[in-house]
Structure formats: C-alpha cells, structure tokens
Amino acid sequence: MFTSITVENEGDVLVCRPATGQPMRFHAMWLRDNANDEATRSSQNGQRLITLADIPSDIAIQSASLEDGSIAIRFTDRDETVSYDGDWLATHCYDRQDPRPDLWIAEESETWDQSLGNSLPSADFTSLHEDSDTLLTWLQGLNRHGVAKVTGGPVQSGALMDVAALFGYVRETNYGKWFEVRTEVNPVNLAYTGLGLQGHTDNPYRDPTPTMQILYCLENSAEGGDSIVVDGFRCAEKLHQENPEGFDLLRKYCARFSYEGSSGVALHSRRPMLECTPDGELVAVRFNNRSAAAFTDIPFDDMDGFYKAYRRFGELVEDPAMQVSFKLEPGECFILDNTRVLHARTGYSGDGTRWLQGCYPDRDGMKSTLAAMSSARAAS
Ligand code: FE2
C-alpha cells in the first residue's frame, strides 16, 4: 500500500505515501490511541484497555519503519514497538483533501425514486431462513435502499416476529410487541381505519423514534389499501437542490410531535424534520401530518419560509414519480428504515378485509447482523 514513510513535525506527524494518490498524514496522538497491541486493546474482545489520560499529552513518534506493508512505530512513552497494518491505516485515513459538501448521505446508502419499483430488494421467507447467501444479499439491499420485501411467508398471526428474528430484536411500545393494522370501531390511531394515509415516518413523537418497521399482510381482499414507500432522503436531496435556504430551516429548527390517543399515554418530542449531523450527513427524516403538534421553536421571521419548505417536502413525498407502490398479498411483508423511508397507503373500502401486523425492530441489530455476516464472508 505505502511505498515510503517519514516522521515530521518533531515526531508529531507520520506521513505515509502510497504508490498513487495523495500522501496520508496521521498524528502521533491518534496513532498511539489507536494502537492495536495487547497493552492497548483486549485481545479477547477488542475493547480499549486504556484511557486518554494514560497517553502523555506530548506523545511523539521516536522512530518509524516500513516493512512488508506494516509500519512499526516506537513512541516516546514506551520501550516496545507497535505495529500498524498499512491497509488498516489507509482505510481509516482522515486526511481528506476535499471538504465534505454542505449535505451528504452515507456512502452505503443509495437514494431512489419510482424507478426502484422494478428492483426493490425482495426474497422468499423460507430461503431467507435457510440460505445465508440469500439473507446477506437481502440485508445488503435493505441497508442500501432502506426498504425490502419478503414473499411467501406463512399466513399466520405473529409471523412478522420470524422476519424480525432474521436480523435483530423488536422494540416493545405502548402499541405492544406488535400491533394490528385493520379497521377498528373506535380506533386509537387513524392507521386503524380505512382512510388513506399520507406518506409518513412512524411515531416521530417518540424519543428515540422506532428505527425500523415491518408491516406483514395477513388479509388484503379490500378494494384499495395499496402500500406506498418513498425515499425521504431523495426528497430531502431534491428540496436541498431546489431551495437550500428552506432545507436549512427544516434542518435548523425543531418541529414538535405528540400523541395522546389512548389512556395513560402522552408522548411528545421536539426534533428537526430533517436531521443532519454537525458535519452535514443527513441521518433522519421525521414527517407525519397526523402527529405534528404546534410548532413553537421557529422564530417569527422564519416561520413563513419554514412552512413553504414543509409544504414543498410534502409535495415531493406525494409526487408519484417519487413513489414505489404495491399491493401486499397475504404472507408478504415489507420492512423499512423508519428514519429514512416514508410509507403511505391508499384508502380502502368496507368490502373485503385488510389486516396487517406491524412491529418495530431496532436498526442497530440489522446493521450488526449485516456487518458480522459480511466480515465472516470476507474471512472465509
Ligand atoms: Fe405508519
């Protein structure tokens, strides 16, 4: 990977030069903190054994040499040499030449519109349980697009838990471990009616919001009741292109959401509709007309612009060119990243029945399963 290295700035910086491309600089403090020897990290579980206070604030590199792709470093605080894998250093380089843009989306994500309809990640229920290749490919698609389908599952109450168990763990809420989505006489939520529902993310009134959702179909003979998914990240990208100032208002100011639809429950949150990290990565969308509360955190002079951007985002969500729609058959489900992908449904009539079950698996379990399976595959 590297063809030469030098120690510069009186031992404060290691410069590694690859055969092609820009040199990569690393600070002595960063290198010492990220040493992977037995004195620094547990060989059993990889966890760090030291705190920063164990490293002198004036730590420096005494000497460094390049051998067979590895870099051996002797620091001023220790007698022994610490070895760094050159590929690991290159992968973890933080010496970027180009500043990140004002808005960016994680490299592992690929935003989409209506055209995803032909290639929505989908796999058979039995194959997912019996074939790890199928599961890995399906998880990769789910992680990349934030949505995937499962077909050919049992038409059996609770089968959605078997889908969640493929990759993670379900979060229990006031709606239960799972909830029934069908027409009720006195519904505690408009989802439990035959009304059409605008594209939304679920439960933005929760903190944290549910990160993933499964909607599993058990009956769907009613007229209508089609499912629609929309990539909130693509909508946010479009809004940012069209109206960066409006985008900034939705990112900068908190909206408010609330739910008090059933006895003993009073959920309230104050979070932005478009949430970015301080360095500009878009990480979450919260959009739900049913549970939006009065917004009281936007200064008077910005409220008009905030509402214009809010309206435009809603128009993008409702634009058919942004939507993928399908009608679930009994035994089919879809799963989505609720921090990114909005879901909607068309209204349905009283003739026939529509019965879905939903639950909220946590996304960290899905990411962990995917990463562990990918590492195991790479090592085999
Ligand atoms: Fe929903």
Side-chain angles (χ1 to χ4, degrees):
M1 173 67 221
F2 297 122
T3 54
S4 70
I5 60 170
T6 50
V7 177
E8 300 185 2
N9 288 22
E10 298 174 350
D12 187 41
V13 175
L14 176 75
V15 182
C16 302
R17 294 179 185 78
T20 56
Q22 294 289 327
M24 301 177 193
R25 297 170 298 172
F26 299 90
H27 290 92
M29 181 65 76
W30 186 94
L31 289 164
R32 178 64 191 86
D33 192 34
N34 288 291
N36 195 26
D37 63 317
E38 287 196 357
T40 310
R41 282 190 179 268
S42 164
S43 56
Q44 287 172 328
N45 55 40
Q47 294 196 297
R48 187 181 276 102
L49 297 164
I50 63 168
T51 71
L52 196 54
D54 294 314
I55 304 174
S57 60
D58 60 352
I59 188 82
I61 299 168
Q62 239 170 23
S63 63
S65 59
L66 179 64
E67 289 170 29
D68 296 333
S70 291
I71 294 156
I73 298 180
R74 185 173 290 266
F75 291 98
T76 49
D77 69 329
R78 296 170 62 185
D79 283 338
E80 67 265 45
T81 296
V82 182
S83 180
Y84 295 81
D85 180 69
D87 288 338
W88 186 91
L89 280 178
T91 305
H92 292 82
C93 174
Y94 57 88
D95 191 10
R96 292 187 184 83
Q97 302 300 315
D98 304 319
R100 279 178 160 146
D102 179 45
L103 172 69
W104 55 280
I105 289 168
E107 213 171 280
E108 63 186 359
S109 299
E110 184 182 322
T111 65
W112 47 267
D113 57 18
Q114 184 188 42
S115 59
L116 182 71
N118 300 324
S119 53
L120 189 75
S122 182
D124 172 71
F125 182 94
T126 305
S127 302
L128 285 167
H129 283 88
E130 295 181 352
D131 179 26
S132 62
D133 285 343
T134 302
L135 178 58
L136 178 57
T137 303
W138 181 79
L139 284 173
Q140 286 166 335
L142 173 60
N143 189 51
R144 178 158 293 279
H145 298 292
V147 62
K149 275 179 75 176
V150 177
T151 58
V155 184
Q156 186 181 312
S157 175
L160 76 173
M161 304 306 278
D162 294 331
V163 176
L166 285 165
F167 56 80
Y169 305 93
V170 169
R171 187 193 309 184
E172 193 164 354
T173 71
N174 55 291
Y175 298 120
K177 193 100 176 167
W178 75 71
F179 46 90
E180 312 291 337
V181 186
R182 58 181 164 188
T183 304
E184 293 179 358
V185 178
N186 292 309
V188 299
N189 192 304
L190 288 174
Y192 311 152
T193 68
L195 293 172
L197 299 176
Q198 186 192 31
H200 61 278
T201 59
D202 261 28
N203 297 196
Y205 41 76
R206 251 178 244 292
D207 182 15
T209 54
T211 45
M212 301 202 83
Q213 176 168 200
I214 297 174
L215 281 168
Y216 195 104
C217 178
L218 295 172
E219 295 173 8
N220 204 4
S221 59
E223 187 75 21
D226 291 8
S227 298
I228 297 164
V229 288
V230 179
D231 188 354
F233 281 9
R234 175 62 73 88
C235 294
E237 283 178 325
K238 285 191 82 119
L239 179 66
H240 186 258
Q241 283 164 3
E242 288 179 12
N243 178 6
E245 295 81 16
F247 178 96
D248 273 341
L249 296 176
L250 298 188
R251 154 163 66 180
K252 179 171 155 189
Y253 295 121
C254 284
R256 290 188 183 233
F257 302 94
S258 65
Y259 174 81
E260 297 190 14
S262 54
S263 171
V265 179
L267 290 158
H268 304 281
S269 74
R270 193 184 83 85
R271 287 286 184 279
M273 288 195 200
L274 303 178
E275 183 179 355
C276 294
T277 59
D279 62 348
E281 181 190 0
L282 178 63
V283 289
V285 172
R286 294 179 187 80
F287 187 84
N288 191 317
N289 66 302
R290 284 170 290 143
S291 57
F295 305 142
T296 53
D297 298 277
I298 299 108
F300 183 88
D301 288 344
D302 281 337
M303 188 62 91
D304 188 44
F306 182 93
Y307 260 93
K308 283 192 171 77
Y310 178 29
R311 176 183 296 274
R312 180 60 187 145
F313 191 82
E315 288 169 354
L316 289 165
V317 167
E318 297 206 57
D319 181 350
M322 303 294 282
Q323 301 179 336
V324 172
S325 62
F326 46 83
K327 181 154 184 162
L328 287 178
E329 299 296 329
E332 293 185 342
C333 72
F334 66 100
I335 175 163
L336 52 82
D337 180 344
N338 187 56
T339 67
R340 168 183 171 185
V341 174
L342 299 88
H343 59 288
R345 84 164 175 232
T346 59
Y348 61 95
S349 72
D351 298 331
T353 54
R354 185 179 191 269
W355 177 22
L356 271 58
Q357 290 182 326
C359 69
Y360 298 123
D362 281 325
R363 188 180 53 187
D364 58 354
M366 186 277 285
K367 294 255 186 195
S368 167
T369 301
L370 172 58
M373 286 184 76
S374 300
S375 296
R377 188 57 50 93
S380 65

PDB file of all heavy atoms in Angstrom, residues 73-85:
ATOM      1  N   ILE A  73       6.194   1.405  14.762  1.00  0.00           N
ATOM      2  CA  ILE A  73       6.397   2.724  15.373  1.00  0.00           C
ATOM      3  C   ILE A  73       6.880   2.561  16.817  1.00  0.00           C
ATOM      4  O   ILE A  73       6.340   1.751  17.580  1.00  0.00           O
ATOM      5  CB  ILE A  73       5.090   3.551  15.347  1.00  0.00           C
ATOM      6  CG1 ILE A  73       4.662   3.801  13.901  1.00  0.00           C
ATOM      7  CG2 ILE A  73       5.267   4.868  16.091  1.00  0.00           C
ATOM      8  CD1 ILE A  73       3.392   4.617  13.768  1.00  0.00           C
ATOM      9  N   ARG A  74       7.858   3.352  17.160  1.00  0.00           N
ATOM     10  CA  ARG A  74       8.293   3.437  18.564  1.00  0.00           C
ATOM     11  C   ARG A  74       7.895   4.833  19.070  1.00  0.00           C
ATOM     12  O   ARG A  74       8.290   5.843  18.489  1.00  0.00           O
ATOM     13  CB  ARG A  74       9.805   3.230  18.666  1.00  0.00           C
ATOM     14  CG  ARG A  74      10.317   3.172  20.094  1.00  0.00           C
ATOM     15  CD  ARG A  74      11.792   2.789  20.100  1.00  0.00           C
ATOM     16  NE  ARG A  74      12.007   1.408  19.716  1.00  0.00           N
ATOM     17  CZ  ARG A  74      12.105   0.386  20.579  1.00  0.00           C
ATOM     18  NH1 ARG A  74      12.004   0.597  21.867  1.00  0.00           N
ATOM     19  NH2 ARG A  74      12.304  -0.833  20.139  1.00  0.00           N
ATOM     20  N   PHE A  75       7.069   4.848  20.107  1.00  0.00           N
ATOM     21  CA  PHE A  75       6.602   6.121  20.665  1.00  0.00           C
ATOM     22  C   PHE A  75       7.496   6.531  21.837  1.00  0.00           C
ATOM     23  O   PHE A  75       8.243   5.710  22.397  1.00  0.00           O
ATOM     24  CB  PHE A  75       5.154   5.979  21.171  1.00  0.00           C
ATOM     25  CG  PHE A  75       4.144   5.800  20.074  1.00  0.00           C
ATOM     26  CD1 PHE A  75       3.687   4.531  19.744  1.00  0.00           C
ATOM     27  CD2 PHE A  75       3.639   6.886  19.381  1.00  0.00           C
ATOM     28  CE1 PHE A  75       2.744   4.350  18.745  1.00  0.00           C
ATOM     29  CE2 PHE A  75       2.694   6.717  18.370  1.00  0.00           C
ATOM     30  CZ  PHE A  75       2.250   5.449  18.054  1.00  0.00           C
ATOM     31  N   THR A  76       7.366   7.779  22.246  1.00  0.00           N
ATOM     32  CA  THR A  76       8.212   8.288  23.336  1.00  0.00           C
ATOM     33  C   THR A  76       7.778   7.767  24.712  1.00  0.00           C
ATOM     34  O   THR A  76       8.527   7.876  25.668  1.00  0.00           O
ATOM     35  CB  THR A  76       8.175   9.830  23.352  1.00  0.00           C
ATOM     36  OG1 THR A  76       6.810  10.264  23.296  1.00  0.00           O
ATOM     37  CG2 THR A  76       8.948  10.410  22.183  1.00  0.00           C
ATOM     38  N   ASP A  77       6.561   7.203  24.821  1.00  0.00           N
ATOM     39  CA  ASP A  77       6.097   6.771  26.145  1.00  0.00           C
ATOM     40  C   ASP A  77       6.358   5.295  26.426  1.00  0.00           C
ATOM     41  O   ASP A  77       6.070   4.829  27.519  1.00  0.00           O
ATOM     42  CB  ASP A  77       4.597   7.052  26.318  1.00  0.00           C
ATOM     43  CG  ASP A  77       3.724   6.159  25.435  1.00  0.00           C
ATOM     44  OD1 ASP A  77       4.181   5.787  24.333  1.00  0.00           O
ATOM     45  OD2 ASP A  77       2.600   5.834  25.849  1.00  0.00           O
ATOM     46  N   ARG A  78       6.854   4.542  25.418  1.00  0.00           N
ATOM     47  CA  ARG A  78       7.009   3.098  25.632  1.00  0.00           C
ATOM     48  C   ARG A  78       8.298   2.613  24.976  1.00  0.00           C
ATOM     49  O   ARG A  78       8.749   3.160  23.974  1.00  0.00           O
ATOM     50  CB  ARG A  78       5.823   2.344  24.998  1.00  0.00           C
ATOM     51  CG  ARG A  78       4.498   2.679  25.641  1.00  0.00           C
ATOM     52  CD  ARG A  78       3.354   2.130  24.848  1.00  0.00           C
ATOM     53  NE  ARG A  78       3.399   0.674  24.768  1.00  0.00           N
ATOM     54  CZ  ARG A  78       2.542  -0.035  24.028  1.00  0.00           C
ATOM     55  NH1 ARG A  78       1.618   0.570  23.312  1.00  0.00           N
ATOM     56  NH2 ARG A  78       2.626  -1.343  24.011  1.00  0.00           N
ATOM     57  N   ASP A  79       8.834   1.519  25.539  1.00  0.00           N
ATOM     58  CA  ASP A  79      10.081   0.972  25.007  1.00  0.00           C
ATOM     59  C   ASP A  79       9.840   0.094  23.786  1.00  0.00           C
ATOM     60  O   ASP A  79      10.663   0.027  22.894  1.00  0.00           O
ATOM     61  CB  ASP A  79      10.795   0.143  26.083  1.00  0.00           C
ATOM     62  CG  ASP A  79      11.490   1.051  27.076  1.00  0.00           C
ATOM     63  OD1 ASP A  79      11.758   2.210  26.705  1.00  0.00           O
ATOM     64  OD2 ASP A  79      11.701   0.621  28.224  1.00  0.00           O
ATOM     65  N   GLU A  80       8.697  -0.585  23.775  1.00  0.00           N
ATOM     66  CA  GLU A  80       8.475  -1.542  22.685  1.00  0.00           C
ATOM     67  C   GLU A  80       7.924  -0.878  21.418  1.00  0.00           C
ATOM     68  O   GLU A  80       7.463   0.273  21.457  1.00  0.00           O
ATOM     69  CB  GLU A  80       7.553  -2.696  23.135  1.00  0.00           C
ATOM     70  CG  GLU A  80       6.149  -2.283  23.421  1.00  0.00           C
ATOM     71  CD  GLU A  80       5.941  -1.988  24.897  1.00  0.00           C
ATOM     72  OE1 GLU A  80       6.784  -1.301  25.491  1.00  0.00           O
ATOM     73  OE2 GLU A  80       4.925  -2.411  25.441  1.00  0.00           O
ATOM     74  N   THR A  81       7.965  -1.655  20.335  1.00  0.00           N
ATOM     75  CA  THR A  81       7.489  -1.179  19.035  1.00  0.00           C
ATOM     76  C   THR A  81       6.035  -1.597  18.835  1.00  0.00           C
ATOM     77  O   THR A  81       5.635  -2.689  19.232  1.00  0.00           O
ATOM     78  CB  THR A  81       8.347  -1.809  17.919  1.00  0.00           C
ATOM     79  OG1 THR A  81       9.677  -1.323  18.080  1.00  0.00           O
ATOM     80  CG2 THR A  81       7.845  -1.439  16.551  1.00  0.00           C
ATOM     81  N   VAL A  82       5.232  -0.705  18.234  1.00  0.00           N
ATOM     82  CA  VAL A  82       3.832  -1.018  17.925  1.00  0.00           C
ATOM     83  C   VAL A  82       3.697  -1.107  16.412  1.00  0.00           C
ATOM     84  O   VAL A  82       4.181  -0.229  15.688  1.00  0.00           O
ATOM     85  CB  VAL A  82       2.876   0.067  18.477  1.00  0.00           C
ATOM     86  CG1 VAL A  82       1.433  -0.299  18.191  1.00  0.00           C
ATOM     87  CG2 VAL A  82       3.093   0.264  19.964  1.00  0.00           C
ATOM     88  N   SER A  83       3.014  -2.161  15.943  1.00  0.00           N
ATOM     89  CA  SER A  83       2.898  -2.380  14.503  1.00  0.00           C
ATOM     90  C   SER A  83       1.500  -1.997  14.007  1.00  0.00           C
ATOM     91  O   SER A  83       0.496  -2.305  14.654  1.00  0.00           O
ATOM     92  CB  SER A  83       3.173  -3.863  14.201  1.00  0.00           C
ATOM     93  OG  SER A  83       3.054  -4.079  12.811  1.00  0.00           O
ATOM     94  N   TYR A  84       1.451  -1.333  12.862  1.00  0.00           N
ATOM     95  CA  TYR A  84       0.175  -0.929  12.236  1.00  0.00           C
ATOM     96  C   TYR A  84       0.107  -1.536  10.843  1.00  0.00           C
ATOM     97  O   TYR A  84       1.061  -1.416  10.064  1.00  0.00           O
ATOM     98  CB  TYR A  84       0.093   0.600  12.121  1.00  0.00           C
ATOM     99  CG  TYR A  84       0.042   1.299  13.451  1.00  0.00           C
ATOM    100  CD1 TYR A  84       1.210   1.533  14.173  1.00  0.00           C
ATOM    101  CD2 TYR A  84      -1.166   1.712  13.993  1.00  0.00           C
ATOM    102  CE1 TYR A  84       1.180   2.155  15.405  1.00  0.00           C
ATOM    103  CE2 TYR A  84      -1.212   2.346  15.226  1.00  0.00           C
ATOM    104  CZ  TYR A  84      -0.036   2.561  15.923  1.00  0.00           C
ATOM    105  OH  TYR A  84      -0.081   3.171  17.145  1.00  0.00           O
ATOM    106  N   ASP A  85      -1.015  -2.122  10.518  1.00  0.00           N
ATOM    107  CA  ASP A  85      -1.231  -2.651   9.182  1.00  0.00           C
ATOM    108  C   ASP A  85      -1.458  -1.488   8.205  1.00  0.00           C
ATOM    109  O   ASP A  85      -2.316  -0.628   8.463  1.00  0.00           O
ATOM    110  CB  ASP A  85      -2.450  -3.598   9.211  1.00  0.00           C
ATOM    111  CG  ASP A  85      -2.733  -4.183   7.849  1.00  0.00           C
ATOM    112  OD1 ASP A  85      -1.934  -4.990   7.376  1.00  0.00           O
ATOM    113  OD2 ASP A  85      -3.760  -3.785   7.245  1.00  0.00           O
TER     114      ASP A  85
END
